[in-house]
Amino acid sequence: MIRSIRNLRRLLLGTVTFAVPVTVSFIDLVGCVVKVEGVSMQPALNPLGDGRSAVDYVFLNRWAAGAYHFQRGEIVSLRSPSNPDQNLIKRIVALEGDLVKTLAYKEAVVHVPSGHCWVEGDHHKNSMDSNFFGPVSLGLISAKASHIVWPPSRWQRLTIQASEDHRVNCLDTFLES
């Protein structure tokens, strides 16, 4: 009996010793599922349903963000420049070198500097985004949101939706005009 308890203890210790580092490494390098709170990304995330806000869970793909190759219209997770304890989920509106006509920033037009991007929530009136804190360093982006994984009725791949309101001009295009 004592021998079987010792064997069970060794088995559990060995399993935990293996499982914990593998799980932590997976979350740090590959990705994780997170709850999206708030209304700043409506209607893409947390759409209103039956008079109350539905809550989405998304897969954050850290692996895809590791090379820092981003596109306009991608939804990303980033550390808030104004509150480092807070993580945000926003859409990339402009990349380095672009000119952006801002919605409420202190400057009407911003040139996005090298190594930065401009992020906004889809629900502009209820979003703490670049219109509040300005261009965001690409180093603050930790992951790309790739899929809605919960609730099952909303399972889908998140698509890249570039801004259609003509507020963003690539610098090369702007200079040619």
Side-chain angles (χ1 to χ4, degrees):
M1 177 74 170
I2 293 176
R3 181 175 249 168
S4 64
I5 291 174
R6 286 182 185 159
N7 288 340
L8 180 61
R9 186 180 293 165
R10 281 188 194 137
L11 177 64
L12 287 174
L13 183 61
T15 302
V16 169
T17 303
F18 174 77
V20 170
V22 168
T23 302
V24 170
S25 295
F26 184 88
I27 290 170
D28 281 347
L29 298 173
V30 179
C32 60
V33 174
V34 299
K35 180 181 180 180
V36 178
E37 300 183 66
V39 297
S40 71
M41 284 302 295
Q42 286 180 343
L45 300 173
N46 292 350
L48 295 177
D50 301 324
R52 69 187 209 300
S53 182
V55 176
D56 288 336
Y57 287 80
V58 298
F59 179 72
L60 295 181
N61 188 337
R62 295 183 192 279
W63 190 269
Y68 296 101
H69 294 294
F70 301 105
Q71 298 177 49
R72 289 171 203 84
E74 284 184 309
I75 298 175
V76 296
S77 173
L78 64 139
R79 183 133 335 218
S80 171
S82 61
N83 180 1
D85 294 331
Q86 184 180 25
N87 289 316
L88 307 173
I89 293 186
K90 303 294 176 195
R91 189 177 303 277
I92 294 178
V93 173
L95 297 169
E96 57 186 20
D98 290 350
L99 293 173
V100 183
K101 293 180 185 172
T102 66
L103 298 174
Y105 192 56
K106 59 188 175 186
E107 300 169 25
V109 177
V110 172
H111 174 250
V112 180
S114 178
H116 289 71
C117 65
W118 189 269
V119 296
E120 293 181 354
D122 289 354
H123 194 241
H124 300 297
K125 292 181 182 176
N126 288 319
S127 181
M128 179 77 74
D129 54 28
S130 286
N131 286 295
F132 176 76
F133 44 70
V136 174
S137 171
L138 294 177
L140 293 177
I141 298 176
S142 60
K144 294 180 182 184
S146 62
H147 295 80
I148 297 175
V149 297
W150 193 262
S153 62
R154 300 229 338 114
W155 282 350
Q156 62 184 297
R157 181 180 181 93
L158 292 170
T159 57
I160 297 172
Q161 297 176 353
S163 176
E164 298 179 12
D165 58 10
H166 307 294
R167 291 187 310 113
V168 178
N169 287 317
C170 296
L171 186 57
D172 296 334
T173 307
F174 184 75
L175 293 175
E176 290 173 4
S177 313

